[in-house]
Amino acid sequence: MKDANSFLLQIAGLEKSFLAPDGTKHRIVHVPEFTLAANDQVALAGESGSGKTTFLNLIAGILRADAGTIQLGGAAVSSFSESERDRFRATTIGYIFQTFNLLQGYTCLENVLLGMSFGAGVDRAMAEALLNRVGLGNRLRHYPRQLSTGQQQRVAVARALANKPKLVLADEPTGNLDHKNARESLALIRETCRESGAALLLVSHDREVLDQFDRVGDFHKLNRAFAGEVTS
């Protein structure tokens, strides 16, 4: 059994609810406990609408929890203000979205450099090295619209690693890719996380993706929100 101090991420009593148009309060996330060790790679299985994305957004500080605690690298993320969460996310967390979220008016290199500008600072040589590592060294000045879907995903991977994060969150990262590109992209995400020393927490409903991981959790069992709803 690992000592509590050995965990990179520790979550306890995490809850998040949203108000429906009729005023009913729906609990989306209720995770009593979750831990992730440094350098670990974990996948969580769950269907669409199960609260997976909300869970990742709470960890990333995009959303603020209604209750519970999130400790990441010794920092009490759940107690931070919105601006503190934004700064912490920029320097500590990499996020790979299903839709990539690349800025269409910026080149591949500029997308990575912009991500760096929110962190410790811009390092052009490192940005170019990251894009070269993901196989896009000859497309630094291409715009997202000039790339295939698989290539856009690679830019997103490079951007996620740009600030040397302790933790990379991946939300259905292969959901928009064909079978071949999905396998290649997943392998790249896992390899680059290992190389950079970042832990990886991925959520997906795709069994083929989940089967690539040694540690797979069932988000339906982890998240007890749908055992009942809170109403007001």
Side-chain angles (χ1 to χ4, degrees), residues 5-218:
N5 294 325
S6 68
F7 292 113
L8 171 68
L9 175 66
Q10 294 176 275
I11 290 172
L14 188 65
E15 295 187 20
K16 184 65 179 179
S17 300
F18 294 100
L19 281 177
D22 64 0
T24 304
K25 196 174 184 181
H26 294 277
R27 189 165 58 183
I28 304 301
V29 169
H30 177 203
V31 175
E33 183 180 12
F34 180 77
T35 57
L36 181 70
N39 303 312
D40 207 352
Q41 296 196 356
V42 175
L44 295 178
E47 297 303 316
S48 297
S50 63
K52 304 188 308 297
T53 296
T54 300
F55 181 59
L56 292 190
N57 287 344
L58 288 166
I59 295 171
I62 295 171
L63 296 174
R64 185 165 194 169
D66 297 331
T69 59
I70 302 170
Q71 294 273 342
L72 178 54
V77 180
S78 49
S79 68
F80 287 173
S81 67
E82 183 176 0
S83 60
E84 289 172 332
R85 296 197 308 272
D86 289 344
R87 288 194 296 272
F88 185 78
R89 180 171 61 254
T91 58
T92 311
I93 298 172
Y95 208 139
I96 304 172
F97 301 89
Q98 180 177 354
T99 53
F100 315 146
N101 287 11
L102 301 177
L103 295 177
Q104 297 300 310
Y106 288 71
T107 64
C108 296
L109 180 59
E110 289 167 344
N111 266 280
V112 177
L113 292 173
L114 183 62
M116 287 179 163
S117 71
F118 296 109
V122 171
D123 184 337
R124 188 182 183 90
M126 180 182 172
E128 292 181 356
L130 280 169
L131 287 166
N132 186 64
R133 171 63 185 87
V134 300
L136 295 174
N138 61 343
R139 286 173 168 72
L140 300 180
R141 291 168 180 79
H142 282 58
Y143 291 90
R145 64 180 178 274
Q146 297 171 318
L147 303 176
S148 69
T149 305
Q151 289 170 334
Q152 290 182 49
Q153 176 66 291
R154 289 169 179 262
V155 179
V157 172
R159 184 185 58 187
L161 295 170
N163 289 318
K164 301 177 182 177
K166 295 178 181 178
L167 172 65
V168 171
L169 304 174
D171 184 7
E172 299 278 7
T174 62
N176 288 327
L177 303 178
D178 60 41
H179 178 78
K180 178 176 180 294
N181 278 314
R183 289 187 65 86
E184 291 177 356
S185 178
L186 180 60
L188 179 66
I189 290 169
R190 299 194 67 193
E191 288 169 10
T192 50
C193 284
R194 278 193 291 266
E195 291 166 3
S196 64
L200 173 63
L201 177 60
L202 176 147
V203 298
S204 180
H205 69 276
D206 187 334
R207 178 48 55 184
E208 186 168 346
V209 168
L210 299 168
D211 285 345
Q212 305 304 308
F213 286 79
D214 294 328
R215 181 181 168 191
V216 179
D218 185 339

